[in-house]
Structures are given as structure tokens and as C-alpha cells.
Amino acid sequence: MNAHHEDERFGGGAGTDDGGAQVIPLNAARHDGEEPRRNPVERTLASGLAFLRRRLAGEYDVDEFGFDPDFNRSVVLPVARALYERWFRVELFGLDNIPEKDGALIVANHSGTLPIDGIMLSVAVHDHVQRDLRLLGADLVYQVPVLGHLSRKAGHTLACQADAARLLDKGELVGVFPEGFKGVGKPFGDRYKLQRFGRGGFVETALRANVPVIPAAIVGAEEIYPKLADLKPLARLLGLPYFPITPTFPLLGPMGLLPLPSKWMIQFGEPIPMDEYDATAADDPMTVFNLTDHVREAVQQMLYDTLLRRGPAFF
């Protein structure tokens, strides 16, 4: 805004002699053609109403896996983003190692007693790479009615080679946690020590799809629910892989489910290409074993490096 416009808008400045009172328009901070600024409550309400209108009008798409991008963007991510930004204060490193397009397989460590690390990884990729991360989850996730439905709508699917191959063939970014429940449910004393990476199924999938593997290290999840013990009889009764005892759960009841506010860091390593291997490499057990071990060592070294960079767990 130039000085001439300011004089006209505010009823004359120091050089005017009309003696009239200054008149400040209601939208003084608004420039021509610019939308009025809304406070966070107004933005949230407007976004929610727009979401409801789209749902009622049927203006949204769902893919063959049940992924609903509109639901994920409007409902799931905003809730997860509050934890990501305010509670865990996540810092990212190596984002340039994630391709802006085409398929790739992100392979990360798994921990935290409850698999919140996968949700935080999804927020990181969505918000900073502008891509949807399609996570591969255990069967147990999809056997829980509400959780399974939400996971599908957020873009995730079963951890099986058939689903992973279809996603990668479509050029999607896929995330996998080869440690499975062995990693997410390990005791606090074994924190940041990688468990076995299964039989290397993720390597076979990457080889067949001819996509790079991107190792990722997640630091911070180990401290959110420090697992001190496991009530195995109760876990068997409930059909769970473990029933954790933490400093706050079950002692504090539902309040014990609130994760501790640890400081998180996520590092993405250099892509490990698969295009130098021929079509039969996925059927060679030695090649698969060597590549699996290579990826595991890369993630473990990144964990050590990121731990040193982070310093204290809660500050």
C-alpha cells in the first residue's frame, strides 16, 4: 500500500487540514482480492463444514484398497499432526532421499509398545514430501473392526507381498516395518536395538518391483510407553501379542494411554537401488539375505547416529 492510498483510507494524514476523524475500514488489513484472515477456530469449523458437504454430496474417491484421500486429509492427519508438531516436536533429516514420484519402499525400525511411529512417519511424508505413505500393517490391525476400517481409509493395507506389489506397480510410496511385533513390543531395556528383519520378504518385493529401498530411522518412539513387563497370560486370553506394563499403564487407567512427550527425530537414508539385479535375484535366497542384512545394518547405524544427535529424550 502506498502513501497516497493510506491518506485516502485513513481520512488524511499529517498534511490534511479537513479536521475530520480518521475512519478505519473493518477490513483494514485486507488488500484488494485477498481473502479475510480467519482465526484457527474459524478455519477448523469451515474445513469441517466443507468436509461434511463433500461427504453428503458424494464428492470423494476411494481406491481399490479402501484409501479415502479426503478422509485422510481432513480427519486422520489433523489429529495426528497435533501430536507430531506439539507433543513429539518431530525433526526430519534426509528428506531429499525420498523420490518426488514413482514407487519406493521405505523400511523403518518399529517400536513404542503402540505403533504410533507409523502414524508419525505418515505425517512426515505427507506434509514435507507431499506424498501419501501407504503403510503395510499386521493382520491383527485389520481384525479390529474400527481400527481396521480407519487404517484402510488412511491408505494402509495388509503386510503381504501381493498388496505391496500392486501398490508399487502403481508408483506408490510404501512403508514397511520388518521387525513387526518383535520390534514394537520389545522391553525398554532393548530400546533402539533392532530385532530380526523377518525372512526378507520386503527385499523380494522391492526386487520384483524394481524400486529402491529407503532405510529410515525413527528415534523417540521407544520412550513414549516404556515397557517394563509383559502379562503373557492376559495377552493370550485377549489374543494379543503382548500386554504391556509401563510406568503409567495400567496404574493410571485410561490416563496411562497418554504417550510421554519424548523428543522425536526421523532420518531417511540414501536409497538402496535394486535395478542392478536381474529378474531372478528375488528367487535367490543368498541375494535376498545379503540385501536384508545390508538394509538392517543401515537402519541400525542411522539409529545410533540419530540418538547421538538428539541427546536427552525429553528436552
Side-chain angles (χ1 to χ4, degrees):
M1 184 183 301
N2 59 37
H4 175 68
H5 289 159
E6 286 180 350
D7 289 345
E8 290 180 343
R9 172 167 291 181
F10 296 110
T16 62
D17 56 3
D18 57 10
Q22 290 185 348
V23 178
I24 302 177
L26 292 177
N27 293 328
R30 178 181 169 187
H31 296 276
D32 291 341
E34 184 178 315
E35 289 296 323
R37 294 180 181 177
R38 294 172 173 171
N39 63 43
V41 175
E42 289 177 325
R43 286 199 302 269
T44 301
L45 181 60
S47 177
L49 291 174
F51 172 73
L52 288 176
R53 182 194 62 76
R54 292 193 299 271
R55 307 313 279 189
L56 292 173
E59 297 174 357
Y60 61 94
D61 298 315
V62 178
D63 74 4
E64 60 188 293
F65 295 91
F67 179 36
D68 184 341
D70 185 42
F71 181 86
N72 186 49
R73 190 168 49 246
S74 303
V75 178
V76 178
L77 285 172
V79 175
R81 191 175 291 119
L83 278 176
Y84 179 96
E85 295 178 348
R86 306 294 182 184
W87 198 248
F88 297 136
R89 300 148 290 147
V90 182
E91 291 184 38
L92 303 176
F93 304 93
L95 282 171
D96 55 343
N97 289 318
I98 302 176
E100 296 181 357
K101 59 181 181 178
D102 299 329
L105 190 64
I106 295 180
V107 179
N109 59 302
H110 210 14
S111 62
T113 304
L114 291 181
I116 295 178
D117 51 1
I119 301 172
M120 297 300 102
L121 190 64
S122 295
V123 175
V125 172
H126 180 276
D127 287 3
H128 298 278
V129 188
Q130 287 74 54
R131 296 194 66 179
D132 293 306
L133 180 61
R134 314 296 293 270
L135 295 175
L136 305 179
D139 294 357
L140 178 62
V141 173
Y142 299 95
Q143 293 168 4
V144 180
V146 175
L147 181 59
H149 183 65
L150 285 175
S151 296
R152 290 283 188 189
K153 293 184 81 66
H156 314 317
T157 189
L158 287 169
C160 65
Q161 290 193 14
D163 281 6
R166 286 161 61 201
L167 285 168
L168 291 170
D169 285 344
K170 291 172 60 178
E172 297 283 358
L173 196 60
V174 178
V176 64
F177 301 95
E179 293 175 281
F181 286 121
K182 299 187 301 295
V184 75
K186 64 178 174 289
F188 188 62
D190 291 336
R191 59 191 180 280
Y192 300 115
K193 297 177 182 177
L194 287 182
Q195 305 299 296
R196 186 168 158 269
F197 264 26
R199 299 176 181 176
F202 72 92
V203 167
E204 294 179 24
T205 300
L207 284 168
R208 290 195 168 94
N210 192 25
V211 298
V213 168
I214 302 171
I218 303 173
V219 166
E222 297 277 17
E223 293 87 11
I224 61 174
Y225 300 113
K227 183 184 168 191
L228 305 178
D230 182 5
L231 291 181
K232 294 182 179 180
L234 185 56
R236 285 195 293 270
L237 180 64
L238 297 174
L240 300 174
Y242 52 85
F243 191 92
I245 302 296
T246 76
T248 59
F249 182 84
L251 181 63
L252 299 182
M255 285 296 295
L257 296 176
L258 182 68
L260 297 178
S262 57
K263 180 72 180 72
W264 284 45
M265 289 184 173
I266 301 177
Q267 179 176 348
F268 299 97
E270 293 185 6
I272 301 173
M274 297 289 145
D275 52 8
E276 60 188 56
Y277 298 91
D278 59 34
T280 63
D283 299 315
D284 179 10
M286 187 57 65
T287 300
V288 171
F289 174 81
N290 288 337
L291 280 170
T292 302
D293 192 54
H294 176 47
V295 174
R296 185 181 180 279
E297 287 299 318
V299 175
Q300 183 67 79
Q301 187 58 52
M302 287 166 57
L303 278 174
Y304 291 146
D305 294 343
T306 309
L307 267 172
L308 289 174
R309 175 181 288 177
R310 180 189 67 168
F314 295 96
F315 302 101

